[in-house]
Amino acid sequence: MQPIRTFNVSPSLPKALEPLRKLAYNLHWDWNVETKDLFRRLDRDLWESSRHNPVLMLGTISQARLTEVAEDEGFLAQMERASQQLDSYLTERTWYRKHRGKSEVDECYAYFCAEYGLVDCLPIYSGGLGVLAGDHLKSASDLGLPLVAVGLLYQEGYFAQYLNADGWQQERYPINDFYNMPLHLERNPDGSELRIAVDYPGRTVYARVWRVQVGTVPLYLLDTNIEPNNPYDHDITDELYGGDQDLRIHQEIMLGIGGVQALKALGIKPTVYHLNEGHSAFLILERIRQLMQEDGLSFDEAKQVAQSTQAFTTHTPVSAGFDLFPPDKAMYYIGHYADIFGLSREEFLALGREDTGSLQSPFSMAALALKTSSFTNGVSQLHGDVSRQMFKGLWPELPLIEVPITAITNGTHARSVVAKSTQELYDRYLGPSWSDKGSEDPLWERVDSIPDEELWRNHERCRSEMVVSLRERLQNHLRDRGAMPAELAHAKEVLDPSILTIGFARRFATYKRANLFLQDMERIKKIMMGNKARQVQFVIAGKAHPKDMPGKELIREIIHTVREAGIDDRVVFIPNYDIHIARLMVAGCDVWLNTPRRPREASGTSGMKAAMNGLPNFSILDGWWNEADYIRTGWPIGHGEEYDDPDYEDKVEANALYDLLEQEVVPLFYNRDHDGIPRGWVAKMKDAIKLNTPFFNTARMLRDYAMRGYFPASDRYSAMTRDNYKPAKELAQWKQGLFEQWYTIKIEDIDIAAPNELVVNQSVAVKTRLNLAGLTANDVQVELYQGEVNADGQIINGLPVVMDYQGTDEHNVSIYTADILYESSGLQGLSLRVLPKHDNLSSLYEPGLVLWA
């Protein structure tokens, strides 16, 4: 029955409890122990059954209980403390003000991502990318950055996982009740819903805007499940990563183009746009359109403004992971922008093509983002190397090391992932500011002052709490699928809270090799159960994408293998992995296992979360672990080798895993003193805390993004838009002249005043004469490029040396000179190159032009 009118009914709170409403609607409660304890105290069972959702709690708790706590002086005092902490937090974020001072413009950094993993009661994320994005917002708030975020609000979100009796993954899609979540519906001044209208082929699709308040950072989420949209368009914001390629492009149009329109409708004027992965790359098209149609810029001028102020972070280590659309499909959905821009079909498609010479080449969201951003990064140092290799074709004339894709290693938000009791321990011994202090701070030396007994007993408590919670989760799962009483009884006894527990939890993609530890069943059974005094158990969790049949088969295979081996009480798969289970596991396991095929793991963050809780990592040298002190804070599996034969790789690395377990991990854990304390293990725990927490932390990560990405891009916004975009117009015009003249530059001669045989540190004078055609010396930078010559005759790890301009000769040929030397012996090489130069370029590589001798 359709209603003739709807009402949004808010919880009715006694006046004395009104601060609870403010606390519930700001996600600061997720990383503030006082506030989280307050809601748990209000009704512990309801807190758990609501998936830790304070808004739903306030709407469903009995009026009698509210009346009771309204007269509870202890509760009211705790509520007042939590409220004061939130007020202080919202006004005392000082890092940004301290490091940025007074900017010329009101800065705003707009962060776009397809998913956000913030809290488990807001299930609009699938895994690591979303949780990283959520932590990005939390730390931006902690630092006081003027950041806003944009995403989609999925009615069903990502699926809920359950396993049938055969161990095969099944999916449920619970409906998200937006009105009982920590969400605000944005409205116009007259009280009506704020809506945007996005053009799709043959129709307009409307979206309303919801806001999640993440500390000081607003996250705006678009929702198309409204009238007057048709049923298909309702589904644009139905499922995360669901549907076919057409639905995917619908979602990415709404995220990118709709997101830009939403910010405008809200009156927000970003100075920087940050694309977290390529899903939102269509936003560049809408930005250019607005600059052209509303500010009167040409296409080249508008593209220059947009590119100068855009950053792009790639998280994908394989080309197949990027969204690619056939040319005809791209033109069908977004081809109207080509008409607005005055571009031909092929000129427009070239914006998103890696190979612009192929008319069949697909339209790549990653290529579009890379070509229109002035700052681009991977998410670990190794991933930066992989990304430069993947995208070197966009800069064919540059040496691989100079491809302009840098790296900012991921982190995780400490206050969100460290267990409550462990946070209290750190607060006591390190002080309350440990969660955002950098590696150089002497505070971290105080980790050694934490008594071994106290750290170890706290960890044992975390392990016991995890086992109790996971048993309960497993029993609930079995009840839901109608399991037999014997299975329920078995679930009550799985896992031993006193033995070495190895955790593995992540997305179930086959390259992550969740079953590597089961390669040799006899050997792993002997390690696990061969010595009754030194037993080992594994806790496993994770989801396979609904369409990833090999990933689903991997889960099923693990379930069957452990059942048949009779070790299903010691190797336990926990269904429906989410943020809550993740936090239990990274605090309660003893060691964190990670076994991807190198270099397929772009970064990984679960191991960082584990390290912050004092867990040593046990991992292939991939992603972030390759940068850590993997000897002091854990164990490396292998030495960073890469293999052509995956079967051989599995065999070698499984054996390495078993050797380490037998010879190092298990003995160290069970080597106890007379007080029952594993002193060597605790020492490794302390190293994991003090070496990994300050660096692999989103506080450090956001400082890096601010200093290297946001601040320079925002400065370029000020520069580009000054005097009605005069600098942008001049730069666009300069680029046009540059492209017209570049290929007429001629290197007349190079005079190298040196014999073929040199000694180390011998000075060599070099002089060159260049015919710059229609360009001037101010338009170019001339460099010598020197370095070691490899077996293929190529200069590797080259070092550029800028040459000095000496004027022109009688033929109007420009003369440049420089002196170089070689600091190491062996076969060394020398070349010469010319690069474009302009004060307003984001880098010399921005035009993509290089002329080599």
Side-chain angles (χ1 to χ4, degrees), residues 356-574:
T356 55
S358 169
L359 301 185
Q360 302 306 313
S361 183
F363 191 93
S364 163
M365 298 296 279
L368 176 62
L370 284 160
K371 289 183 172 187
T372 56
S373 297
S374 58
F375 178 84
T376 304
N377 69 284
V379 290
S380 69
Q381 298 304 311
L382 180 58
H383 182 235
D385 293 340
V386 171
S387 298
R388 285 188 287 275
Q389 185 71 44
M390 276 199 300
F391 294 112
K392 63 183 179 181
L394 295 176
W395 294 272
E397 297 299 323
L398 281 180
L400 183 62
I401 197 172
E402 290 187 83
V403 169
I405 301 175
T406 185
I408 293 180
T409 301
N410 279 345
T412 190
H413 188 256
R415 289 284 183 183
S416 293
V417 301
V418 176
K420 175 194 170 189
S421 61
T422 309
Q423 287 193 45
E424 292 168 346
L425 185 70
Y426 296 169
D427 288 346
R428 283 199 301 277
Y429 289 97
L430 310 182
S433 62
W434 62 269
S435 58
D436 58 5
K437 291 297 184 184
S439 302
E440 72 290 342
D441 197 289
L443 166 152
W444 295 105
E445 295 306 315
R446 296 183 212 153
V447 172
D448 292 328
S449 70
I450 300 174
D452 288 358
E453 295 85 351
E454 197 169 349
L455 182 61
W456 182 244
R457 299 306 176 208
N458 174 75
H459 178 68
E460 288 190 313
R461 173 185 169 188
C462 290
R463 190 192 315 120
S464 295
E465 289 176 351
M466 177 194 73
V467 169
V468 170
S469 295
L470 295 185
R471 284 174 177 173
E472 185 177 344
R473 171 68 71 109
L474 201 53
Q475 290 172 69
N476 290 337
H477 160 72
L478 291 170
R479 280 193 204 96
D480 287 346
R481 73 164 173 82
M484 301 295 287
E487 288 184 271
L488 289 168
H490 178 258
K492 291 180 182 179
E493 304 297 329
V494 299
L495 302 175
D496 184 331
S498 66
I499 68 176
L500 173 59
T501 305
I502 299 175
F504 181 101
R506 49 192 39 85
R507 181 166 57 89
F508 259 71
T510 52
Y511 77 86
K512 294 178 184 281
R513 295 189 297 177
N515 60 344
L516 186 67
F517 77 101
L518 298 173
Q519 279 275 309
D520 185 335
M521 280 304 303
E522 290 308 310
R523 193 170 177 189
I524 193 62
K525 282 180 69 175
K526 185 176 179 183
I527 292 169
M528 293 171 62
M529 307 169 76
N531 184 335
K532 288 189 176 181
R534 295 192 166 196
Q535 295 196 34
V536 180
Q537 63 191 359
F538 290 81
V539 180
I540 306 170
K543 298 177 177 180
H545 187 278
K547 295 181 181 177
D548 181 6
M549 294 306 156
K552 288 185 174 185
E553 183 57 43
L554 184 56
I555 295 174
R556 181 180 174 277
E557 177 189 316
I558 291 173
I559 301 293
H560 278 251
T561 301
V562 300
R563 277 180 190 166
E564 291 164 5
I567 53 174
D568 52 344
D569 58 340
R570 289 291 178 266
V571 180
V572 179
F573 186 94
I574 306 298

Side-chain angles (χ1 to χ4, degrees), residues 554-630:
L554 184 56
I555 295 174
R556 181 180 174 277
E557 177 189 316
I558 291 173
I559 301 293
H560 278 251
T561 301
V562 300
R563 277 180 190 166
E564 291 164 5
I567 53 174
D568 52 344
D569 58 340
R570 289 291 178 266
V571 180
V572 179
F573 186 94
I574 306 298
N576 206 25
Y577 184 50
D578 60 15
I579 285 176
H580 181 60
I581 292 177
R583 292 177 183 177
L584 287 171
M585 288 181 63
V586 296
C589 292
D590 296 301
V591 63
W592 200 253
L593 180 65
N594 189 25
T595 51
R597 294 194 190 280
R598 177 184 164 111
R600 297 286 301 277
E601 189 79 82
S603 172
T605 56
S606 62
M608 302 174 186
K609 298 175 176 73
M612 287 182 174
N613 281 281
L615 274 64
N617 271 264
F618 184 29
S619 175
I620 300 293
L621 286 176
D622 201 5
W624 78 277
W625 187 234
N626 192 58
E627 296 173 46
D629 187 334
Y630 44 75

